[in-house]
Amino acid sequence: RDDVLDNLYLHGSSHWDSFCHVAYPEHGYYNGVRPEETTGQPGTKNGIENLARRGIVGRGVLLDVGRWLASEGRDFDYRAASPIGVADLEATRRAHGVEIKPADILLVRTGWMAFYLEQPRAWREAIARTPTIPGLVASPETFAYLWDHHVAGVCADNYAVELFPFQPGGAGSLHANLLGLLGIPLGEFWDLEALAEDCRRDGVYEFMLTSAPLNLTGGTGSPPNALAIK
């Protein structure tokens, strides 16, 4: 029989955000695309089909910030909008002995997904209604760090990669700056537990990463269908 793709919420599980998901306040969507140009119909712009056309293949780098925080004895609250700054990313990178090179896809394990899955269902349902989630700080320093490393994408195991709720000021969000201004796609809700454990065992935090997004015209996102090959 033919399977029907129905009732699939593109942002409800592990996914990529496409460039028509969030705009930069002053300049619109990536490459200056205006809202009226994102129709979801033939000729629409910035949809996920642009990533699906050739797929994503590149060098992936994992920064296991959650495990590094634990090793440092940091009291990190997964129930709050606890910040992860550039200093945390850099300290984790040095601890792993890995470099971030141009065109890398950066995976950040905060540890939130593991924490979330351990909680009772009532707590998970409550956090879905009023999410307060740790993540990367949306700051000029963070934007510059990612841009200067020329990463091709940033993915994390939390709700929005960045702190949620978003910090005040739309232009100050990671979404507005990376998706709308810099053209760096974001991956959210990625389950990085098995990969992080494998990297811990062999001490290798780099790998080949492949991802085959859905070819959905005008899609605001897609499940990643990702594989890490070591």
Side-chain angles (χ1 to χ4, degrees):
R1 63 181 175 82
D2 288 336
D3 288 322
V4 177
L5 184 65
D6 193 20
N7 292 325
L8 173 62
Y9 292 89
L10 297 177
H11 297 271
S13 184
S14 301
H15 66 274
W16 284 108
D17 286 341
S18 75
F19 293 140
C20 66
H21 178 49
V22 173
Y24 191 85
E26 286 81 10
H27 305 296
Y29 294 94
Y30 183 56
N31 273 342
V33 170
R34 308 309 305 171
E36 57 270 20
E37 297 179 279
T38 59
T39 63
Q41 303 302 313
T44 189
K45 295 186 176 181
N46 285 6
I48 197 67
E49 72 276 11
N50 294 289
L51 295 181
R53 189 167 290 119
R54 297 181 64 182
I56 298 168
V57 180
R59 177 178 181 261
V61 169
L62 175 72
L63 297 185
D64 192 347
V65 177
R67 186 168 273 114
W68 176 79
L69 289 168
S71 71
E72 292 291 301
R74 285 268 294 275
D75 186 16
F76 193 79
D77 188 357
Y78 286 106
R79 298 175 182 269
S82 302
I84 295 171
V86 167
D88 299 320
L89 297 177
E90 264 298 284
T92 303
R93 184 193 65 77
R94 290 193 299 269
H96 293 344
V98 68
E99 292 184 55
I100 302 174
K101 300 178 181 179
D104 281 351
I105 301 162
L106 181 63
L107 309 185
V108 180
R109 179 187 174 269
T110 67
W112 181 81
M113 180 66 74
F115 175 83
Y116 170 85
L117 293 174
E118 291 173 350
Q119 304 310 306
R121 180 170 178 173
W123 183 88
R124 285 183 278 144
E125 290 177 347
I127 206 69
R129 291 189 293 271
T130 56
T132 304
I133 312 294
L136 301 187
V137 175
S139 68
E141 185 183 21
T142 303
F143 309 149
Y145 180 83
L146 297 171
W147 178 256
D148 290 345
H149 280 91
H150 304 293
V151 297
V154 182
C155 310
D157 63 340
N158 61 350
Y159 195 88
V161 181
E162 61 186 308
L163 294 173
F164 197 89
F166 293 154
Q167 297 163 266
S173 78
L174 211 67
H175 275 67
N177 279 270
L178 268 61
L179 292 175
L181 196 62
L182 302 180
I184 300 174
L186 296 173
E188 300 166 344
F189 286 130
W190 283 37
D191 185 351
L192 303 175
E193 292 307 298
L195 176 60
E197 177 59 23
D198 185 85
C199 292
R200 182 199 65 78
R201 284 199 305 266
D202 66 11
V204 178
Y205 288 83
E206 57 184 335
F207 36 85
M208 179 180 179
L209 182 68
T210 71
S211 175
L214 297 176
N215 188 11
L216 179 63
T217 301
T220 59
S222 169
N225 300 310
L227 293 173
I229 303 168
K230 296 179 67 179

